[in-house]
Amino acid sequence: MSSAPSHPRRRARTALFALLTTALVGTLVLRPDAAPAEAAPAAFAHPGVTVSRAQLDFARSRVDAGAQPWKGAFDRMMASRYADPNRTPKPRAVVECGSYSNPNHGCTDEREDAIAAYTNALAWYITRDDRYARKSIELMDAWSAVIRDHTNSNAPLQTGWAGSSWPKAAEIIKHTYTGGWANSGRFATMLRDVYLPEVINGSNSNGNWELTMMEAAVGISVFLEDRASYDRAMATFRTRTAAYVYLESDGALPRTVPSQNLNTRDKIVKYWQNQSTFITGLTQETCRDLTHTGYGISSISHIAETSRIQGQDLYGTDVGERLRHALGFQAKYEQGTAVPDRLCGGSLHLGLGPVTEVGYNALHNRLGHAMTHTQALTERTRPSGSNNLFVAWETLTHGDNPA
């Protein structure tokens, strides 16, 4: 940021311009007090990234009892390629990912090895079969021994995707597996030196980028017990969430991330995929497609769930309100409701993905909110699988889970 002008008239013009801009744009920028100065707990809970020990215990008890939908969800997970006992990790020193993973030099391998590590960690916890824990460790060790960098235009997003799955696997193994993990320190170094620096500064791209990157940063911070990074990531998350999901209480226009300089209506409308009518529950990417919208919604729910496990329940704040309305808005159209002309020109690209279980469980089952459309979509698509990027097996871990 440039220094303040020294000329009195320039200062006056600058002040007047700022006043007029504020009047024009309204309450676009998130109030600083909406993001707590200190979010990290005095002592981190483990395992504590998206899924807690109590939630894992509940899932295990339901699978052992053969109860649905958990047994079906477990069976689907175990039949997937991610649980293949013969899976061979494919680590690279440098993962290069261009736009839409083109070129794709290790992008799919990294994401899917990370999901496989998490899958095997879950399989270990449910079955107590050491082979799954050892496979999870094999995958994590292979990458921590090799990877040094992510490059090309999609590097931040790729790092966010893979970096969201690795800590979930590592938390379960480190804190529940008694067979030992000799290289856990090297894995922690990988997260600290390769992943965290790539995601912690955020992104001014479409909102799902920064939300996924903050999911990775929060999860990594829990595993590393890094309070400063946790607080920084959580503050960025609060600002981005308020700028990603519109509520009528925001005013005539959605809120914005200050660094993006979206300081006119025209700029905001363009950033919101040329949508000029703002409706509660609409997201910044709804008119792009529901798939990318689903990525953003998923990361919001994952971070809120991690925060709850760590002792700060964001579901009772505007984060929960925005998540609830975003889920309901998108689910309504995913379920087949006709799209009005005022929304994205009367046409939506569907494909929300397996992203509703965590938020639905927290907001409907735990807090008692009526979520008719979200409930219908969640129950219709059970048991949910993986989006093969960073979401996996959430009917198993969070479906109607009271813990």
Side-chain angles (χ1 to χ4, degrees):
M1 182 179 293
S2 60
S3 59
S6 58
H7 196 287
R9 289 184 180 179
R10 288 181 183 175
R11 281 202 301 270
R13 287 199 301 269
T14 300
L16 179 60
F17 177 77
L19 185 63
L20 291 173
T21 299
T22 301
L24 169 67
V25 178
T27 57
L28 297 180
V29 178
L30 181 65
R31 296 185 308 275
D33 61 0
E38 292 187 1
F44 285 96
H46 302 290
V49 177
T50 308
V51 62
S52 68
R53 186 185 296 268
Q55 289 171 318
L56 290 167
D57 286 339
F58 174 81
R60 185 182 182 214
S61 72
R62 296 292 80 205
V63 172
D64 285 349
Q68 300 298 349
W70 306 277
K71 181 60 165 62
F74 176 75
D75 290 344
R76 181 175 183 183
M77 180 180 81
M78 297 308 294
S80 75
R81 64 181 180 275
Y82 299 113
D84 181 358
N86 298 313
R87 184 181 189 88
T88 302
K90 298 178 180 178
R92 286 174 179 253
V94 177
V95 174
E96 182 185 2
C97 306
S99 182
Y100 292 93
S101 295
N102 181 24
N104 183 339
H105 298 317
C107 316
T108 302
D109 292 338
E110 181 188 29
R111 294 193 305 264
E112 297 199 350
D113 276 352
I115 293 173
Y118 177 52
T119 299
N120 278 277
L122 288 174
W124 141 253
Y125 200 93
I126 300 296
T127 67
R128 292 302 197 271
D129 186 331
D130 282 15
R131 291 175 296 177
Y132 298 118
R134 290 196 296 268
K135 176 58 72 172
S136 183
I137 290 170
E138 176 191 347
L139 290 157
M140 291 189 284
D141 282 355
W143 280 89
S144 70
V146 172
I147 190 166
R148 297 293 176 266
D149 199 9
H150 297 83
T151 64
N152 215 318
S153 59
N154 257 35
L157 182 60
Q158 171 71 20
T159 310
W161 281 336
S164 295
S165 296
W166 288 130
K168 290 191 289 189
E171 278 283 295
I172 294 171
I173 295 299
K174 182 176 180 180
H175 297 286
T176 73
Y177 178 56
T178 57
W181 180 14
N183 292 312
S184 63
R186 187 179 72 195
F187 186 83
T189 298
M190 176 191 81
L191 293 181
R192 182 182 296 108
D193 294 350
V194 178
Y195 287 82
L196 190 57
E198 187 71 48
V199 297
I200 193 63
N201 293 321
S203 167
N204 285 326
S205 183
N206 281 300
N208 82 86
W209 277 52
E210 187 161 82
L211 289 165
T212 300
M213 291 163 70
M214 290 310 105
E215 178 184 345
V218 166
I220 289 168
S221 297
V222 170
F223 184 74
L224 298 178
E225 298 195 332
D226 184 335
R227 299 183 80 253
S229 292
Y230 185 97
D231 290 347
R232 182 177 174 186
M234 197 63 73
T236 301
F237 163 71
R238 294 291 299 272
T239 301
R240 174 61 70 174
T241 298
Y244 193 69
V245 182
Y246 175 78
L247 297 178
E248 185 178 355
S249 58
D250 292 335
L253 295 170
R255 296 186 179 186
T256 66
V257 173
S259 60
Q260 292 192 263
N261 297 314
L262 299 175
N263 51 13
T264 68
R265 179 180 177 85
D266 287 347
K267 288 181 182 179
I268 292 168
V269 168
K270 182 178 180 181
Y271 185 62
W272 281 63
Q273 316 296 324
N274 298 312
Q275 173 71 12
S276 58
T277 301
F278 300 102
I279 313 151
T280 290
L282 179 78
T283 80
Q284 181 256 314
E285 296 186 271
T286 298
C287 292
R288 179 187 186 186
D289 58 61
L290 295 198
T291 301
H292 286 87
T293 297
Y295 301 164
I297 289 173
S298 182
S299 287
I300 292 171
S301 67
H302 291 167
I303 295 172
E305 192 71 2
T306 296
S307 180
R308 183 187 72 86
I309 294 166
Q310 298 304 328
Q312 184 192 42
D313 196 339
L314 294 179
Y315 290 115
T317 71
D318 77 298
V319 171
E321 186 180 5
R322 292 177 196 278
L323 177 59
R324 177 167 63 91
H325 286 294
L327 283 167
F329 188 90
Q330 271 49 232
K332 176 171 66 174
Y333 297 109
E334 189 73 22
Q335 283 286 89
T337 296
V339 182
D341 291 340
R342 67 173 181 159
L343 176 62
C344 311
S347 177
L348 281 174
H349 298 285
L350 304 180
L352 189 62
V355 303
T356 63
E357 289 279 17
V358 176
Y360 171 72
N361 185 57
L363 294 163
H364 175 74
N365 294 332
R366 191 179 296 123
L367 296 183
H369 293 291
M371 299 177 70
T372 306
H373 298 296
T374 306
Q375 179 174 358
L377 178 61
T378 301
E379 293 177 351
R380 176 173 68 83
T381 54
R382 282 177 172 170
S384 64
S386 174
N387 71 353
N388 304 314
L389 298 173
F390 69 105
V391 180
W393 323 126
E394 293 183 350
T395 299
L396 173 64
T397 56
H398 292 82
D400 299 337
N401 192 322

